[in-house]
């Protein structure tokens, strides 16, 4: 099994190298070699299938530390940049930026524990404070920023998605959920609350005019924030110990 | 192996020495999220290639944003598709995507069109959803981040945004959240999880019919299997979801049924539909073009994940159901399912990303796994950059040259003049010029079969077939606008046809005026 794993690994690495090489060659104006990398990719896949059929995952992914990590991370940054540089039109700003972010993101696989901490506990007071700050920020943004892209993008996304989404996440997610979890859920919650409501209105042919669309997000955030505060008040341990009149 | 940990109930212990609200604690949490933030930014930037030109690449966004502008203006969804196919057909998209763009535009933009680039940020949403779902499957540690990065670098997202399937992108980005909420409720049902599930599922259902069908089919398969395995327990979980789901999902379900009824209304025979989609069967070249050659390696990860006993059985069942639905549609022609099969490949991104950590686990020691993960991700990401650049150049549909030609058409034509146009131009013309249009759409691109007969007439004109004269007179066609970048096959013959008079041409389009008989 160990030999098979090594073979699979080698084949996959080979496929990737061929693939990267073919991209560089195509970009440099050489003959297309996509078929070469396709076949190598297929071979690696067949080996992987064998591994799945006869093998089993062996434990956790473990801690990734050491010189190999640094070397691979460095390569991960350099490889995409070099492929982009091979482009016959020369180095272009946007693809280079994307390649650099790709390199940094791939290098970040070595720091998973760090990411994990951001999703851990801590959504209580800090989450509410951040929601209030976010609300204030959006209000200021909407009033001050000019009505042209990209400012309208920022103000629009914040008002329609982030504000109601973060507000609703404070209510709908457990207290233990960290701010990163809340932020991740903001979009789906905002859409999940607003779209069914708007489709209900549409079903009954009640028009949702622009002022209503503008007010909907902040209104949901406000209601969620008030409901959250009410619930916290009700479940507060001090309340139970209060003397009854 | 670390014990799987539910994503919404994280561990408290040992995560951070700082108290929750302290300044240094907050800063540390922002800093800690950097790797995932990089994945989210990468996904957004890869999708951002579609917005580097004068106009966003692709054609389909025009009708989504036109519907959004209609909603912004009238407060009600667009029912008839103005000017498109002579204005005789219904607009058969679900209203959710148009409502989303209208909501974002409402706070400061007069129109939804300047907001098109916001669509790229859906990549970040999808990545964070995949992260949370992978965290539920594999527990904390490297696997969720690997899944998020695989999702960020997988080429189908950038490919889809380049032809402007915006509403489907919204649906695909929301899918991991809907599945996660459903699984959370199935593990620990309470009122909060029922409401969260209803919100997540209800929000998705109204956005795009394909995503809705995918999710409904997945959840139906999963629920049936669970009802069979644990009848009483599953029935009680389902019962607790009934009311919240009814409130959130009924309006979208009504619209979904309406769309299905309208789309199938013209009575096109099943055999004809199968034949129409024959050209879209997924072969090796289509696979390579859409997912890169490395996509096949990553697809193996789905099997590895389904065999991984460290993942909860019901979680594997849910992802298995989703994968099964996708594969059934990709290869649906073997079962007589009529579908634009290539389109189903876009739905593979989720199980492939979730299977990536299981694939990496197949390698030996920690260094080998790191090597495999980094190499595959770098290869996939580099491939995505190349593909996003290529697709952005390929799908350059609306250009200053096209707009110039449309302005000339507007100047020489009158309000009722019928214009036959190429398929790709048909999506943009309704918001650029107010003229009755007959787009020459081939059968496999038609979702609403109300359009079939009208489109067949337009194709007859565009391909200079034997019916050309008959259609020109019957439909009173006055102009023909042909895309040079995406010409219909056979349209070359128009240049020498006696009824066609060349009015104008530039790099991207040719405009003919129809001579009277």
């Amino acid at each position: 099994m160990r030999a098979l794993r090594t073979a699979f690994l080698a084949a996959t690495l080979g496929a990737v190298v061929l693939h990267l090489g073919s991209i560089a060659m195509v970009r440099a104006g050489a003959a297309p070699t996509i078929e070469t990398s396709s076949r190598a990719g297929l071979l690696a896949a067949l080996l992987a299938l064998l591994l799945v059929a006869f093998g089993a995952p062996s434990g956790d992914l473990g801690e990734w530390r050491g010189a190999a990590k640094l070397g691979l991370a460095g390569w991960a940054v350099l490889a995409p940049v070099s492929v982009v540089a091979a482009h016959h039109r020369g180095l272009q700003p946007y693809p280079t930026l994307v390649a650099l972010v790709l390199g940094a993101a791939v290098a970040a696989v070595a720091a998973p524990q760090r990411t994990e901490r951001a999703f851990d506990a801590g959504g209580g007071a800090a989450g509410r404070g951040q929601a209030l700050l976010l609300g204030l920020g959006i209000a200021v943004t909407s009033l001050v920023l000019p009505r042209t892209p990209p400012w309208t993008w920022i103000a629009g996304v914040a008002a329609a998605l982030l504000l109601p989404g973060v507000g609703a996440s404070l209510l709908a997610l457990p207290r233990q959920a960290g701010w990163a979890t809340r932020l991740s859920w903001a979009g789906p919650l905002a859409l999940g609350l607003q779209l069914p409501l708007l489709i209900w209105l549409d079903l009954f042919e009640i028009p949702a005019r622009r002022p209503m669309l503008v007010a909907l997000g902040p209104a949901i955030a406000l209601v969620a924030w008030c409901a959250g505060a009410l619930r916290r008040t009700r479940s507060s341990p001090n309340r139970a110990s209060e003397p009854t009149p | 192996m670390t014990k799987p940990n539910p994503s919404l109930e994280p561990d408290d212990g040992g995560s951070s020495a700082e108290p929750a609200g302290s300044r240094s604690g907050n800063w540390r949490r922002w800093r800690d999220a950097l790797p995932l933030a990089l994945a989210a930014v990468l996904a957004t930037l890869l999708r951002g290639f579609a917005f580097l030109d004068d106009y966003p690449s692709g054609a389909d966004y025009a009708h989504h944003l036109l519907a959004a502008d209609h909603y912004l203006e009238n407060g009600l969804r667009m029912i008839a598709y103005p000017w498109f196919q002579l204005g005789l057909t219904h607009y058969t998209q679900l209203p959710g995507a148009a409502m989303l763009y209208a909501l974002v535009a409402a706070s400061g933009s007069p129109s939804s069109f300047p907001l098109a680039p916001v669509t790229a940020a859906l990549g970040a949403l999808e990545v964070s959803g995949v992260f949370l779902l992978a965290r539920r499957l594999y527990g904390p540690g490297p696997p969720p981040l690997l899944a998020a990065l695989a999702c960020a670098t997988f080429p189908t997202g950038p490919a889809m945004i380049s032809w402007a399937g915006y509403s489907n992108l919204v649906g695909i980005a929301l899918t991991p959240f809907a599945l996660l909420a459903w699984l959370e409720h199935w593990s620990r049902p309470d009122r909060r999880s029922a409401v969260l599930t209803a919100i997540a599922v209800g929000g998705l259902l109204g956005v795009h019919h394909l995503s809705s069908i995918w999710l409904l089919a997945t959840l139906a398969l999963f629920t049936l299997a669970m009802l069979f395995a644990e009848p009483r327990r599953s029935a009680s979980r389902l019962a607790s979801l009934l009311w919240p789901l009814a409130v959130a999902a009924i309006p979208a379900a009504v619209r979904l049924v309406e769309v299905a009824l309208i789309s199938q209304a013209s009575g096109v025979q099943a055999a004809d539909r199968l034949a129409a989609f024959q050209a879209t069967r997924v072969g090796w070249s289509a696979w390579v073009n859409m997912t890169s050659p490395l996509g096949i390696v990553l697809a193996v990860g789905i099997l590895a994940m389904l065999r991984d006993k460290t993942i909860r059985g019901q979680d594997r069942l849910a992802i298995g159901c989703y994968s099964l639905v996708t594969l059934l549609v990709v290869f649906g022609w073997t079962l007589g399912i009529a579908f634009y099969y290539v389109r189903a490949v876009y739905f593979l991104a989720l199980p492939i990303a979730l299977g990536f950590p299981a694939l990496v686990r197949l390698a030996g020691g920690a260094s080998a796994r790191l090597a495999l993960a980094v190499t595959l991700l770098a290869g996939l990401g580099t491939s995505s950059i190349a593909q996003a650049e290529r697709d952005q150049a390929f799908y350059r549909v609306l250009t200053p040259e096209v707009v110039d030609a449309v302005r000339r058409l507007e100047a020489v034509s009158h309000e009722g003049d019928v214009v036959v146009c190429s398929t790709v131009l048909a999506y943009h013309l309704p918001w650029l010029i107010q003229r009755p249009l007959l787009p020459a759409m081939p059968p496999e691109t038609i979702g609403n079969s109300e359009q079939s007969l009208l489109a067949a007439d337009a194709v007859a004109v565009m391909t200079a077939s034997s019916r050309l004269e008959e259609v020109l007179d019957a439909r009173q066609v006055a102009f023909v606008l042909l895309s040079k970048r995406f010409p219909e096959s056979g349209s070359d013959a128009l240049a020498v046809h006696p009824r066609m008079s060349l009015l104008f041409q530039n790099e991207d389009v040719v405009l003919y005026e129809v001579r009277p008989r």
Side-chain angles (χ1 to χ4, degrees), chain B residues 17-70:
Chain B
E18 300 292 341
S22 78
R23 186 173 293 177
S24 60
N26 284 337
W27 159 242
R28 179 174 288 182
R29 286 193 186 88
W30 283 103
R31 189 199 61 187
D32 289 350
L34 193 64
L36 181 64
L38 277 171
V41 169
L42 175 65
T44 305
L45 289 178
L46 277 169
R47 284 154 180 78
F49 274 100
F51 305 98
L52 295 181
D53 269 339
D54 297 309
Y55 299 96
S57 69
D60 294 43
Y61 72 88
H63 66 197
H64 298 312
L65 299 180
L66 183 69
D69 274 5
H70 179 277

Side-chain angles (χ1 to χ4, degrees), chain B residues 230-254:
Chain B
E230 302 169 333
R232 292 186 69 172
R233 193 165 164 261
S234 301
S236 85
R237 274 149 180 71
L238 205 55
S240 63
L241 272 176
L242 223 52
W243 275 111
L245 257 186
V247 172
I250 278 181
V254 170

Side-chain angles (χ1 to χ4, degrees), chain B residues 59-420:
Chain B
D60 294 43
Y61 72 88
H63 66 197
H64 298 312
L65 299 180
L66 183 69
D69 274 5
H70 179 277
Y71 187 72
L72 203 55
E73 206 170 300
N74 303 295
L76 293 170
R77 88 202 143 97
M78 193 166 85
I79 296 171
Y81 202 157
W83 310 114
F84 190 86
Q85 299 291 14
L86 307 181
L88 298 175
T89 59
H90 288 89
Y91 182 69
T92 51
Q93 294 285 325
L94 289 174
M99 287 170 173
L100 161 64
Y101 284 102
L103 275 168
V104 176
S107 60
S109 176
S111 162
S112 308
F113 279 85
L115 294 163
V118 169
T119 315
L122 289 170
L125 187 64
E126 190 180 352
V127 161
S128 59
V130 166
F131 180 89
L132 290 175
L133 188 52
R135 198 165 182 261
R136 179 187 159 86
L137 263 60
Y138 296 98
L145 189 60
L146 287 180
L149 279 164
C151 175
T153 51
F154 202 64
T156 52
M160 194 177 228
I161 206 168
S162 64
W163 58 259
Y166 290 3
S167 60
N168 206 352
L169 275 167
V170 180
I172 286 175
L174 292 175
T175 301
F177 292 96
L179 286 175
L180 174 62
W182 191 273
L183 288 170
E184 290 286 344
H185 178 73
W186 221 263
S187 299
R188 267 175 303 194
D190 57 22
R191 209 166 53 179
R192 187 207 302 259
S193 72
V195 170
L196 191 67
T197 306
I199 291 172
V201 173
L204 191 157
L205 286 184
V207 170
H208 190 265
H209 58 285
L210 290 183
S211 296
S212 308
I213 290 167
W214 245 258
L215 184 70
L216 288 175
T218 302
L219 297 182
L221 277 175
F222 172 81
T223 308
L224 275 176
M226 291 304 290
L227 278 169
F228 186 73
E230 302 169 333
R232 292 186 69 172
R233 193 165 164 261
S234 301
S236 85
R237 274 149 180 71
L238 205 55
S240 63
L241 272 176
L242 223 52
W243 275 111
L245 257 186
V247 172
I250 278 181
V254 170
R255 291 291 178 229
L256 194 60
V257 170
E258 200 176 77
V259 166
L261 290 176
I262 292 171
S263 298
Q264 304 298 323
S266 79
V268 176
Q269 296 300 307
D272 294 338
R273 287 182 66 79
L274 265 180
F277 291 115
Q278 196 165 353
T280 70
R281 290 177 184 175
V282 179
W284 178 240
S285 63
W287 178 276
V288 168
N289 277 322
M290 292 173 77
T291 71
S292 93
L294 296 175
I296 195 88
V297 183
L298 266 67
V300 175
I302 301 174
L303 288 177
M305 175 183 58
L306 296 178
R307 287 195 70 224
D308 192 336
K309 296 284 195 299
T310 60
I311 301 172
R312 287 185 192 87
Q314 67 185 43
D315 293 3
R316 280 186 285 148
L317 176 66
I319 307 305
C321 290
Y322 182 91
S323 309
L324 180 67
V325 171
T326 307
L327 291 173
L328 277 178
V329 182
V330 171
F331 301 106
W333 51 274
T334 56
L335 306 168
I337 299 172
F339 189 74
Y340 198 101
Y341 306 109
V342 168
R343 186 81 178 261
V345 176
Y346 294 106
F347 290 85
L348 274 173
L350 174 65
I352 280 180
L354 292 174
F356 184 62
L359 180 73
V360 172
R361 275 185 188 170
L362 292 173
S367 294
R369 287 170 178 172
L370 179 61
L372 182 62
V374 166
T375 310
L376 278 176
L377 288 171
L380 204 61
T382 312
S383 184
S384 281
I385 293 175
Q387 185 168 329
E389 267 193 306
R390 187 194 66 193
D391 286 350
Q392 184 250 348
F394 180 78
Y395 288 109
R396 204 173 282 152
V397 173
L398 189 62
T399 59
E401 286 74 25
V402 171
V403 174
D404 182 34
V406 172
R407 292 293 155 250
R408 284 170 186 263
L409 173 62
E410 195 171 29
V412 297
S413 62
H414 303 288
E415 206 166 288
D417 288 345
V418 174
V419 181
V420 168

Side-chain angles (χ1 to χ4, degrees), chain A residues 5 13 19 27 52 55 58 60 94 109 114-117 120-121 147 153 172-173 179 200 202 208-210, chain B residues 12 15 29 32 35 45 74-75 77 106 108-109 114 135 141 149 192 247 255 307 362 366 369 375 383 386 389:
Chain A
R5 282 205 175 106
L13 293 177
H19 184 60
R27 283 162 163 252
V52 172
S58 55
D60 194 11
Y94 192 82
V109 297
R114 172 173 286 188
T115 310
E116 201 54 50
R117 287 202 297 262
D120 281 350
R147 299 282 188 265
W153 309 343
L173 299 181
W179 67 266
W200 268 118
D202 188 68
R209 302 281 181 205
R210 190 183 276 259
Chain B
D12 281 342
S15 60
R29 286 193 186 88
D32 289 350
L45 289 178
N74 303 295
R77 88 202 143 97
S109 176
R135 198 165 182 261
L149 279 164
R192 187 207 302 259
V247 172
R255 291 291 178 229
R307 287 195 70 224
L362 292 173
R369 287 170 178 172
T375 310
S383 184
E389 267 193 306

